[in-house]
Amino acid sequence: MKTSGNGVAVGHDGWLYWVGRAREVEAFYGETATSRRILKRWTRLIGRRARRLDGLGIRHVHTVVPDKLAIYPDLLGRPFPGLDDPPGIRLARLVAGNSGAPMVDLQTPLLAARVEEPVYLRTDTHWTYRGYLTAYRALCEALDAPAAAHVFAGTSVTERFTFDLGEKLVPPVDEAYVAYDFPRRAVRTDANALVAVRESGRAVRARGLFVGSRVVLGNKEAPDPRRVVLFGDSYIYSPGARLTAMLAETFGEVHAIWSANIDWAYVEDVRPDIVIFEIAERFLRQVPNDRIRIDRFAAARARRAVSPTLRERIRRWLR
């Protein structure tokens, strides 16, 4: 099994971790000048966001998805800086001491849940279904919203798959995992051009064609009628049994946008009751500027990803 240079560390019992190709994760994860500077910038950004959302009368929360390093440090099998005080926890302290903007702690419930069953996949950076359920419940509690019981009563099947860390090894390593799903009461009512191109199967470069995606799900049977705009990354990936699908079983309408930047024009146009911002801890290394128009960005990416013929169809569709 070859791991040199691919950024993956192999821990105990085949557990894989993303540690970066050039020690950039170590430089950020530990208490360094680099991490202090970045987290201070995040603190200022979250404070500005909170003040703007408060001015619009919109409830809001930020949440950081802990890295697997923070939840399973014991299985890494070697010393690593910052494992006792990871960046997401340090950021929450800084925010509490400055703007006081609400942040949802996911590390504590995930550490508690791992006692019963794994909350991260062994060969992936992402959660198991139990991990997603844990985060879903924590967000609902933070927003005074009911968690939908049927989301916790899904069906399951055991499958094998090569996940994001396992595919980086030579040879690739797959994993047996339990795939869950649950009955859906929410339906998709809208999607932008990037989603349309990706789902058409006609994209020349479909892999990685996710940042900039936007979907809207409506649920007439939702126990909570509030409208939510959710900004996030792969943890909210909308077609799967992940946070978007789960939250759409609780709230009347969910707008899910794959972006680390907040599209303020979109927020002001939709005027949601709630804005949720989610980001993986490893992505905190880059601080967004919130200067984006998501559908314009998505349309540009979609045009570049397809053949000239389909590109012209998209141009006409966007008129």
Side-chain angles (χ1 to χ4, degrees):
M1 180 188 301
K2 182 180 178 183
T3 63
S4 177
N6 64 5
V8 178
V10 180
H12 296 307
D13 301 323
W15 278 72
L16 304 182
Y17 296 80
W18 176 251
V19 295
R21 294 184 177 87
R23 300 177 67 90
E24 68 273 16
V25 178
E26 292 189 35
F28 175 66
Y29 223 76
E31 179 65 33
T32 64
T34 297
S35 67
R36 286 192 293 271
R37 182 177 66 253
I38 291 172
L39 294 180
K40 285 180 181 177
R41 289 179 60 197
W42 268 106
T43 301
R44 291 192 293 270
L45 175 64
I46 292 172
R48 290 195 299 272
R49 287 175 171 179
R51 290 189 293 273
R52 187 164 182 174
L53 289 166
D54 287 341
L56 292 169
I58 298 172
R59 189 169 180 176
H60 53 89
V61 294
H62 276 65
T63 191
V64 176
V65 174
D67 197 274
K68 187 192 292 187
L69 289 161
I71 306 301
Y72 289 95
D74 51 312
L75 296 177
L76 178 60
R78 66 176 177 86
F80 198 88
L83 294 184
D84 58 340
D85 195 24
I89 298 298
R90 301 203 301 272
L91 175 60
R93 285 202 304 271
L94 286 171
V95 171
N98 287 271
S99 66
M103 295 191 67
V104 179
D105 171 26
L106 296 183
Q107 179 158 323
T108 300
L110 286 167
L111 284 169
R114 68 159 277 186
V115 175
E116 298 180 8
E117 62 180 283
V119 292
Y120 279 80
L121 292 158
R122 185 168 48 85
T123 62
D124 194 81
T125 56
H126 293 91
W127 292 321
T128 61
Y129 191 62
R130 179 59 180 270
Y132 284 103
L133 288 176
T134 302
Y136 166 60
R137 189 189 295 277
L139 286 168
C140 286
E141 290 177 353
L143 295 167
D144 303 308
H150 64 277
V151 173
F152 293 81
T155 58
S156 64
V157 60
T158 300
E159 299 180 354
R160 294 200 72 88
F161 193 79
T162 304
F163 290 105
D164 64 358
L165 296 178
E167 70 179 4
K168 297 180 185 297
L169 303 185
V170 181
V173 173
D174 64 3
E175 177 178 350
Y177 74 108
V178 181
Y180 281 86
D181 206 348
F182 51 85
R184 309 293 175 92
R185 297 171 185 171
V187 295
R188 196 170 82 184
T189 60
D190 191 26
N192 67 11
L194 191 60
V195 176
V197 166
R198 190 174 67 244
E199 293 181 351
S200 72
R202 297 179 182 178
V204 177
R205 300 180 299 276
R207 186 176 178 85
L209 206 62
F210 296 103
V211 176
S213 300
R214 178 187 61 80
V215 298
V216 181
L217 288 82
N219 185 351
K220 295 180 180 179
E221 302 178 54
D224 189 320
R226 288 179 291 177
R227 178 182 297 164
V228 173
V229 173
L230 167 64
F231 292 92
D233 46 42
S234 53
Y235 288 85
I236 73 167
Y237 183 51
S238 58
R242 301 190 183 186
L243 285 180
T244 295
M246 292 176 175
L247 290 168
E249 297 305 307
T250 284
F251 294 101
E253 188 172 280
V254 174
H255 298 239
I257 299 171
W258 193 321
S259 172
N261 290 279
I262 288 181
D263 181 342
W264 286 108
Y266 189 89
V267 170
E268 292 175 1
D269 182 57
V270 171
R271 287 287 174 149
D273 301 287
I274 298 169
V275 166
I276 301 172
F277 180 85
E278 171 274 321
I279 189 167
E281 193 168 55
R282 62 187 178 278
F283 296 145
L284 286 174
R285 290 184 294 113
Q286 292 185 316
V287 184
N289 55 31
D290 286 353
R291 291 194 293 269
I292 195 170
R293 295 297 296 271
I294 199 65
D295 286 337
R296 292 179 186 174
F297 175 84
R301 288 203 75 197
R303 285 193 295 268
R304 292 194 298 268
V306 300
S307 66
T309 302
L310 188 57
R311 193 175 301 160
E312 176 58 24
R313 291 180 187 172
I314 294 172
R315 187 184 67 80
R316 292 199 299 268
W317 175 68
L318 289 172
R319 284 179 179 174

